[in-house]
Amino acid sequence: MKVLVPVKRVIDYNVKVRVKADQSGVDLANVKMSMNPFDEIAVEEAVRLKEKGKASEIVVVSIGPQQASETIRTALAMGADRGLLVKAEGEVEPLAVAKILKAIVDAEKPMLVIAGKQAIDDDSNQTGQMLAALLGWGQGTFAHKLELGEASASIEREIDGGLQTVDVKLPAVMTTDLRLNEPRYASLPNIMKAKKKPIEEKTPADYGVDTTPRLKVLKVAEPPKRGGGVKVKSVAELLDKLAEAGAI
Ligand code: AMP
């Protein structure tokens, strides 16, 4: 069974993001970039399926600039088999990503696509759902646990009130939540081995997809600065202060 994992290159989650002076976006100059954390979880899940003998091949795809090939290499070092870089500069919105992924799925015919639940840069939480809709496949989003069968998958999902289990027929799309697994660090020998694994390069035009943005960002702003705290002498005073602030 082939598994396809889309991985996005994003600002590293440890970096303190700075907004550009003209408020047109965030500053990406000299900023550390890494694989989207939810996509690391997706790669880990695919590698575990391969280790259990349930997946035969793991293909990773990234849509982004040339440097996104480093993100693909990280996935290859974790245990994926081959990569596909769809070279695109600038912002590629979830719908365009989903259309490119649909074309790749049509060509590669995986039984399962494991994407992240959201990219931590745009926080869209749309690509997996849009891909499932374009393909007409079932989907299990916010996955907490996966039991993969021959013709179906049982996916435990994280929802507001707790957990929900859905059965989806394969082929299907799954998106990962935080507690699905803990991704491994690639070992040095595996990093060396990954250098020899193939990465094919394509462009959105090869798939007939126009990546021109449909949304216009009007303004990006820093969150408001936190005000200073105050010390209170008693619970009663605390309650008074909270009531004054309209918090209770
Ligand atoms: P989003 O809908 O933008 O929050 O992204 C959800 C998931 O879709 C990510 O965790 C990735 O698995 C996948 N994805 C989004 N954008 C890209 C991209 N440019 N390249 C590869 N995968 C992507």
Side-chain angles (χ1 to χ4, degrees):
M1 174 184 300
K2 195 191 278 189
V3 179
L4 188 84
V5 184
V7 295
K8 187 175 187 188
R9 179 176 184 266
V10 297
I11 293 191
D12 188 274
Y13 73 97
N14 286 308
V15 170
K16 172 129 181 31
V17 175
R18 281 189 319 268
V19 173
K20 284 193 207 164
D22 66 0
Q23 296 196 311
S24 63
V26 300
D27 199 356
L28 293 179
N30 303 318
V31 167
K32 183 174 183 232
M33 306 289 283
S34 300
M35 189 190 304
N36 182 43
F38 293 107
D39 304 351
E40 283 185 352
I41 296 172
V43 174
E44 175 65 35
E45 196 64 18
V47 173
R48 288 186 191 187
L49 289 176
K50 196 169 173 200
E51 287 169 345
K52 282 190 221 149
K54 293 197 167 185
S56 53
E57 190 185 26
I58 304 165
V59 182
V60 285
V61 182
S62 195
I63 298 142
Q66 186 64 47
Q67 297 93 311
S69 63
E70 292 160 19
T71 313
I72 294 177
R73 279 284 167 228
T74 306
L76 297 177
M78 286 172 73
D81 296 290
R82 64 187 167 88
L84 180 54
L85 170 66
V86 182
K87 268 175 40 180
E89 293 297 332
E91 182 73 14
V92 184
E93 290 172 356
L95 181 58
V97 171
K99 285 179 179 170
I100 293 170
L101 292 176
K102 158 137 191 348
I104 294 169
V105 166
D106 288 343
E108 294 278 351
K109 305 199 169 14
M111 285 304 266
L112 185 64
V113 176
I114 311 181
K117 75 166 178 182
Q118 87 194 56
I120 62 164
D121 53 358
D122 61 18
D123 272 348
S124 292
N125 178 266
Q126 293 174 357
T127 308
Q129 294 88 328
M130 285 177 169
L131 175 63
L134 290 174
L135 288 164
W137 289 7
Q139 56 182 295
T141 50
F142 312 112
H144 170 95
K145 194 168 161 198
L146 165 70
E147 302 269 2
L148 190 62
E150 287 290 310
S152 68
S154 165
I155 298 171
E156 205 170 273
R157 311 180 53 233
E158 294 202 14
I159 57 169
D160 277 352
L163 296 170
Q164 178 195 52
T165 307
V166 293
D167 262 322
V168 284
K169 261 200 256 147
L170 298 178
V173 175
M174 179 174 100
T175 71
T176 61
D177 214 321
L178 205 59
R179 280 163 285 269
L180 182 64
N181 61 48
E182 252 188 59
R184 70 195 63 193
Y185 289 104
S187 65
L188 192 58
N190 285 344
I191 293 173
M192 299 314 284
K193 261 196 253 164
K195 290 186 198 276
K196 296 209 184 81
K197 293 183 180 175
I199 300 181
E200 195 185 345
E201 289 192 8
K202 295 273 193 190
T203 65
D206 292 333
Y207 300 109
V209 177
D210 177 6
T211 57
T212 312
R214 293 169 174 227
L215 302 173
K216 189 169 161 209
V217 174
L218 300 178
K219 188 170 124 185
V220 176
E222 300 264 0
K225 293 251 179 310
R226 286 183 65 176
V230 280
K231 274 194 179 164
V232 290
K233 290 202 179 70
S234 63
V235 172
E237 196 187 338
L238 172 65
L239 291 176
D240 282 348
K241 292 255 184 240
L242 289 173
E244 261 170 45
I248 52 171

